[in-house]
Amino acid sequence: MHFEEADRLKSLPPYLFAEIDKLINKKRKEGLDVISLGIGDPDIPTSTDIIETLCKEANDPKNHRYPSSYGLRIFKEAVSKFYMQRFNVTLDPEREVLPLMGSKEGIANIAYTCINPGDYVIMTDPSYLVYKISTIFAGGIPYTVPLKEEDDFVLDIEDIDPEIAKKAKIIYINYPNNPTSATCDKIFFENVVSFAEKNNIIVCHDNAYSDVYQGENKPMSFLNAYGSKNVGIEFNSLSKTFNMTGWRIGYAAGNGEIIESLGKYKTNVDSGVFNAIQYAAVKALESYKIHTEHNNNIYNRRRDMIKKTLDDIGIDYFDSNATIYVWAKVPEGFTSGSFSKMLLDKADVVVTPGVEFGKNGEGYIRISMTIDDSRLEEALKRIRNAL
Ligand SMILES: *Cc1c(COP(=O)(O)O)cnc(C)c1O
């Protein structure tokens, strides 16, 4: 057999840092202690009450059969209650909430649900890569809008070509933002709603970091914007908020018609989220205040440690209070790739080159704080010594 993968796989953007990956593996093989600040995957364990709920429900044979693709009523009610308490947003649990096997799955499948080959999809550069790749998989054309430091990395709607806007099917947005850690306000969301109404575009807001923040200035929901439910949906996830990345549970919430279509598509490609996991997620959502306070205390300490080090060594960064990342500028004379490589060479520390998230990420690195304090301290000490 001569195996040949499909064109859609061949058309994926090349992975730029295979060289850095090789170097990491080589160093680890040599027994060197490489510390990674490169991945966005919480190190904090899932809370034991959530795990206990999973165990109990996993023992119940009624949960051993196919779940409904549309999810358990109790899970959708828990999401609605969470949205009311946390964001003051009303959601009809049956019509306006759909469980997902992690929000990444929904973010990818919404492309298949809504776009026809040749349709434009608007997204930012830099951004989480799934928006672009699922667009390509579904035969759409990604149209990227730069995120600029002078705009505090908030998308400037004026930068969108009006001719493309007329033709576009979806706009993906993401605040608090990965990788820049930028946040936005309600006025921005309202401007996105007007833009979407004017151009008949579906808004997909990715709110994966809604509950990772410092201080009183809490991130909002896109659904807080007046008219948002007419034009879009929000993806949210238990991954970052409840340290449940491995559990694969998230949800889409918002416009009933879009939710229904996404569900219709999904019934044909998966068969729902394991019921025991949905019950565990209910447990998590019910006590979100305790969990988010616990997590944020940890992340706030780490964010402060990173900022302090960067201040001391004179590296500029975007001063944000949200997400699990610090978006820092590479010093004069480096590219994001060469600076990351230098840190790996000299300090055995991995950071993510900004250009991995798009060409406008050049000049930046993303430092992730999902590593325990003592390892983070060691990594920061090594970075100080390397510079
Ligand atoms: C981590 C992350 C997600 C969440 O993915 P899950 O599939 O829910 O684990 C979604 N969007 C962004 C921007 C992320 O960083």
Side-chain angles (χ1 to χ4, degrees):
M1 185 207 71
H2 170 67
F3 171 72
E4 206 181 321
E5 66 185 16
D7 292 344
R8 71 176 69 82
L9 282 180
K10 286 192 202 147
S11 70
L12 287 180
Y15 178 56
L16 299 171
F17 294 98
E19 191 200 350
I20 291 186
D21 275 359
K22 262 191 216 148
L23 197 55
I24 296 170
N25 287 335
K26 183 166 163 275
K27 281 184 172 255
R28 287 201 165 132
K29 250 187 218 147
E30 284 166 6
L32 288 167
D33 174 33
V34 178
I35 304 178
S36 179
L37 307 179
I39 31 179
D41 186 357
D43 62 304
I44 310 164
T46 311
S47 167
T48 47
D49 57 335
I50 302 171
I51 299 169
E52 277 158 16
T53 307
L54 172 75
C55 294
K56 180 171 141 278
E57 296 296 337
N59 271 309
D60 186 341
K62 83 172 190 312
N63 292 327
H64 297 170
R65 309 187 66 191
Y66 281 122
S68 153
S69 294
Y70 294 95
L72 291 170
R73 170 91 195 176
I74 190 174
F75 171 74
K76 293 184 279 190
E77 276 171 355
V79 170
S80 307
K81 227 180 258 169
F82 170 65
Y83 261 60
M84 177 44 71
Q85 289 177 358
R86 169 65 180 86
F87 301 112
N88 199 24
V89 164
T90 316
L91 289 171
D92 174 346
E94 278 312 316
R95 281 187 56 255
E96 297 178 329
V97 181
L98 183 72
L100 301 168
M101 295 169 172
S103 57
K104 183 180 188 176
E105 175 261 289
I107 291 164
N109 282 330
I110 195 70
Y112 289 97
T113 306
C114 302
I115 69 181
N116 288 317
D119 282 344
Y120 281 94
V121 175
I122 302 170
M123 63 200 71
T124 66
D125 177 326
S127 80
Y128 185 54
L129 295 175
V130 184
Y131 317 135
K132 188 176 203 167
I133 291 174
S134 50
T135 298
I136 293 171
F137 280 176
I141 306 168
Y143 173 81
T144 55
V145 191
L147 290 185
K148 293 170 291 191
E149 192 178 350
E150 70 254 34
D151 298 329
D152 290 335
F153 301 107
V154 176
L155 165 71
D156 184 351
I157 294 170
E158 301 286 312
D159 287 341
I160 302 171
D161 178 343
E163 289 308 308
I164 299 286
K166 270 190 232 155
K167 293 187 283 189
K169 202 66 190 283
I170 296 180
I171 180 169
Y172 284 107
I173 50 174
N174 165 223
Y175 291 98
N177 183 260
N178 175 12
T180 66
S181 76
T183 53
C184 71
D185 56 16
K186 190 165 154 189
I187 294 168
F188 169 74
F189 282 144
E190 285 171 350
N191 290 338
V192 172
V193 171
S194 314
F195 168 79
E197 273 174 346
K198 187 170 141 221
N199 294 289
N200 198 30
I201 297 178
I202 297 160
V203 180
C204 293
H205 180 241
D206 180 355
N207 210 358
Y209 297 96
S210 65
D211 288 275
V212 185
Y213 60 88
Q214 187 161 14
E216 290 309 305
N217 199 5
K218 295 183 192 179
M220 309 188 71
S221 164
F222 170 67
L223 302 176
N224 283 122
Y226 183 75
S228 55
K229 267 197 216 169
N230 293 331
V231 294
I233 59 173
E234 176 156 285
F235 292 100
N236 210 330
S237 171
L238 281 86
S239 287
K240 314 291 166 35
T241 307
F242 300 100
N243 307 314
M244 290 172 73
T245 49
W247 297 55
R248 310 314 303 134
I249 180 145
Y251 49 91
N255 181 284
E257 269 184 290
I258 303 171
I259 293 286
E260 190 183 345
S261 285
L262 179 58
K264 178 171 153 191
Y265 179 79
K266 275 169 54 60
T267 55
N268 293 289
V269 296
D270 67 58
S271 299
V273 177
F274 182 28
N275 283 345
I277 291 178
Q278 293 186 62
Y279 284 114
V282 171
K283 184 79 188 167
L285 289 164
E286 278 173 356
S287 41
Y288 78 91
K289 279 188 188 150
I290 297 167
H291 298 300
T292 54
E293 196 182 313
H294 174 76
N295 294 339
N296 285 332
N297 280 335
I298 294 171
Y299 290 134
N300 293 346
R301 195 168 60 226
R302 294 177 186 171
R303 193 183 292 109
D304 290 345
M305 282 165 69
I306 295 170
K307 286 182 180 177
K308 167 123 200 348
T309 300
L310 297 177
D311 284 338
D312 289 350
I313 60 182
I315 287 187
D316 232 0
Y317 56 87
F318 181 64
D319 197 3
S320 155
N321 74 336
T323 78
I324 52 180
Y325 312 108
V326 175
W327 185 242
K329 267 189 157 162
V330 305
E332 202 81 43
F334 286 99
T335 63
S336 70
S338 72
F339 188 61
S340 303
K341 190 157 175 296
M342 189 280 284
L343 288 179
L344 181 58
D345 275 337
K346 290 208 177 149
D348 292 337
V349 171
V350 181
V351 296
T352 312
V355 322
E356 274 198 31
F357 306 98
K359 64 177 189 299
N360 292 292
E362 183 51 89
Y364 298 89
I365 53 167
R366 192 193 72 175
I367 302 170
S368 169
M369 49 181 102
T370 54
I371 186 164
D372 76 55
D373 291 30
S374 63
R375 295 289 283 164
L376 179 60
E377 205 168 84
E378 168 67 22
L380 294 172
K381 194 178 89 192
R382 291 189 202 166
I383 292 175
R384 276 176 198 268
N385 291 340
L387 289 172

